[in-house]
Amino acid sequence: MNFKVTVTRKKIKNIIIKINSNGEVLVSAPKRVPQKYIEQLIVQKEKWIIEKINSITEYYSNRKSISYLNGDEIFYLGKKYILEILPSEKNFIEQDEEKIYIYCKKPESVDEKKKILEKWFREKISIILENLTIDIGKKVGFLPEEIKIRSMKSRWGSCNTTRKIITYNLHLIEKPLPAIEYVVLHELSHLPYPHHQKEFWNFVEKYMPDWKLRKKILNNKA
């Protein structure tokens, strides 16, 4: 295996495998599960782990960092916009067909401009994700108790099936709507199927036959 694995013992019922933004494999396991069983599971999941590591690595290599200067390229709902910074007595954002304008009290401050843009992104994606979660959730018959949005480095969404909380990645705002819809359905599908076994994917395909194409769009492969 050409990847690093870190095992942490916790008071949990099931083994959880995560890949962080550095491509490291983080395994959370119940205290009484034998080490040999964990190692066997890693071998069984090796193909999935490698695919996940490659996907994360590709995402970060393709994702340009924003310097928050005039002329920066940023993506909003799958479309590329040019960033323009304008001094102002009030912090706010405007958008037209080609540009996103940051009006800023402190145009020389990168932190200030970042806060303004992320606040705007959060407001926009919150409305989109809340509406999609309700609409798609009603179709599939499962709704979460709570929706959270935060910046995540290694996943587009997560589902706490015990507490019925779905957390979405703030950076979904950069993706086209069909890709966002796929992430919403994916996380909702974990409410009845807290795994990635055949039953889970059958459920996803039942409500979204083109999910594979949407997943490729999400990961910049289509």
Side-chain angles (χ1 to χ4, degrees), residues 6-202:
T6 301
V7 179
T8 305
R9 301 286 182 165
K10 297 182 178 180
K11 291 182 179 180
I12 54 177
K13 293 182 179 180
N14 301 310
I15 296 175
I16 301 171
I17 302 175
K18 296 180 181 179
I19 317 297
N20 69 14
S21 59
N22 296 320
E24 297 172 332
V25 182
L26 307 179
V27 179
S28 299
K31 293 183 177 181
R32 295 186 178 182
V33 172
Q35 181 66 25
K36 188 175 181 180
Y37 179 83
I38 297 173
E39 292 172 358
Q40 290 173 344
L41 182 63
I42 293 296
V43 172
Q44 292 174 10
K45 297 284 186 179
E46 185 173 3
K47 182 180 178 182
W48 174 84
I49 290 170
I50 292 173
E51 288 176 353
K52 193 72 174 177
I53 291 172
N54 290 340
S55 177
I56 291 170
T57 302
E58 184 176 355
Y59 170 73
Y60 280 99
S61 63
N62 290 334
R63 192 168 185 264
K64 294 181 180 179
S65 60
I66 303 174
S67 58
Y68 296 93
L69 297 173
N70 286 323
D72 269 3
E73 295 179 354
I74 58 175
F75 284 85
Y76 173 65
L77 295 180
K79 182 180 176 181
K80 182 170 68 176
Y81 290 83
I82 301 301
L83 192 64
E84 187 165 334
I85 313 298
L86 297 166
S88 173
E89 295 181 357
K90 184 180 179 181
N91 293 337
F92 65 99
I93 283 182
E94 287 185 344
Q95 168 199 357
D96 61 24
E97 289 297 317
E98 297 181 355
K99 292 184 177 182
I100 289 177
Y101 304 88
I102 297 182
Y103 292 83
C104 184
K105 294 179 182 178
K106 300 176 182 177
E108 72 285 351
S109 171
V110 173
D111 288 341
E112 187 83 358
K113 290 178 284 188
K114 182 179 180 181
K115 286 179 183 178
I116 297 169
L117 184 61
E118 287 194 352
K119 182 177 181 289
W120 188 74
F121 275 165
R122 185 177 294 276
E123 290 170 353
K124 295 292 185 181
I125 197 63
S126 294
I127 295 170
I128 292 169
L129 287 170
E130 286 173 10
N131 289 337
L132 285 177
T133 300
I134 292 171
D135 291 345
I136 297 174
K138 287 180 177 179
K139 289 179 183 177
V140 303
F142 296 94
L143 286 167
E145 295 290 335
E146 186 179 354
I147 296 170
K148 296 181 179 181
I149 296 171
R150 64 184 180 90
S151 179
M152 296 189 283
K153 292 184 177 181
S154 60
R155 54 175 61 188
W156 293 112
S158 64
C159 180
N160 184 320
T161 56
T162 303
R163 300 173 62 193
K164 295 186 177 179
I165 298 174
I166 291 178
T167 303
Y168 295 112
N169 192 333
L170 172 65
H171 298 292
L172 280 171
I173 193 65
E174 302 168 6
K175 298 298 179 178
L177 193 58
I180 299 173
E181 291 171 339
Y182 162 71
V183 174
V184 172
L185 176 59
H186 185 111
E187 299 309 328
L188 284 169
S189 300
H190 277 310
L191 292 173
Y193 300 102
H195 50 68
H196 285 111
Q197 296 175 12
K198 185 178 180 181
E199 295 86 353
F200 170 85
W201 293 113
N202 287 343

Side-chain angles (χ1 to χ4, degrees), residues 59 156 172 175-176 179-180 182-183 213-221:
Y59 170 73
W156 293 112
L172 280 171
K175 298 298 179 178
I180 299 173
Y182 162 71
V183 174
L213 174 59
R214 292 172 186 248
K215 186 178 180 181
K216 287 181 179 179
I217 294 171
L218 177 69
N219 295 316
N220 299 322
K221 293 182 178 180

